[in-house]
Amino acid sequence: MKKSIFSLFSILICFWLFLSSCSCNPENIAKLAFKGMESMMGEGFMPSEEIRAIGDFRGMSVALNSSTVGDHTESTIFLKLENGDPVKLGNQPEVLARNCAEIYLRDFENSENYRQITVQFIQTDPNNPENMAMQEYTFDTKDF
């Protein structure tokens, strides 16, 4: 029992020394995590800064969905863009959604495996995060 507690304690001390001596930058750790994600999902899986700049979006995420019913497979990319500039969203958000979809599909190397792309614009109230509005646009990937 004393030996196992000593071993656990030694491991914890070594781990703490490793972390405290590391001059890691959180941004570098995040970049490393994103690179790992892209290596698994395919190059261009994470939305590019070009998409962020189009609408001045504060948050971006992607979800991939594929389901099979009988012999029919439905596969969709969900591109979620959060808290964009209302002026840039403008009077024609469907045009902006199409541009974002086009850029994403161009950059994502595995986009040909998906039949549709759904672009979601989500705006949240800074004073009440539970209060939100969403606009959603779906396109067939073959149209790009």
Side-chain angles (χ1 to χ4, degrees):
M1 174 89 170
K2 286 184 181 183
K3 198 173 197 178
S4 65
I5 291 174
F6 179 73
S7 297
L8 178 62
F9 185 68
S10 298
I11 291 170
L12 289 174
I13 287 176
C14 289
F15 184 67
W16 178 77
L17 287 173
F18 172 74
L19 289 178
S20 63
S21 67
C22 180
S23 61
C24 299
N25 182 347
E27 290 177 11
N28 289 340
I29 294 171
K31 285 180 185 177
L32 182 63
F34 288 139
K35 283 199 180 280
M37 179 78 94
E38 283 199 335
S39 68
M40 286 184 345
M41 303 305 291
E43 188 70 33
F45 170 72
M46 297 305 294
S48 67
E49 288 302 312
E50 185 179 358
I51 293 174
R52 183 183 303 276
I54 286 177
D56 222 1
F57 299 107
R58 297 181 199 263
M60 301 186 299
S61 61
V62 176
L64 305 176
N65 184 29
S66 186
S67 60
T68 304
V69 177
D71 61 346
H72 181 71
T73 299
E74 196 67 34
S75 53
T76 305
I77 299 169
F78 290 95
L79 179 59
K80 183 176 170 181
L81 305 169
E82 300 176 61
N83 297 320
D85 182 352
V87 174
K88 289 187 177 184
L89 289 171
N91 295 331
Q92 297 179 326
E94 64 278 356
V95 173
L96 181 65
R98 186 168 188 78
N99 289 341
C100 291
E102 183 175 12
I103 293 168
Y104 185 80
L105 292 172
R106 176 197 72 200
D107 294 344
F108 183 38
E109 72 178 353
N110 294 330
S111 64
E112 69 276 354
N113 297 336
Y114 296 88
R115 198 171 140 244
Q116 294 181 323
I117 182 167
T118 297
V119 178
Q120 299 172 327
F121 295 133
I122 298 173
Q123 295 290 113
T124 56
D125 182 351
N127 298 321
N128 182 6
E130 292 180 11
N131 188 13
M132 63 180 255
M134 181 176 76
Q135 294 175 307
E136 188 173 273
Y137 303 92
T138 301
F139 307 100
D140 288 338
T141 58
K142 67 180 178 184
D143 293 339
F144 292 93

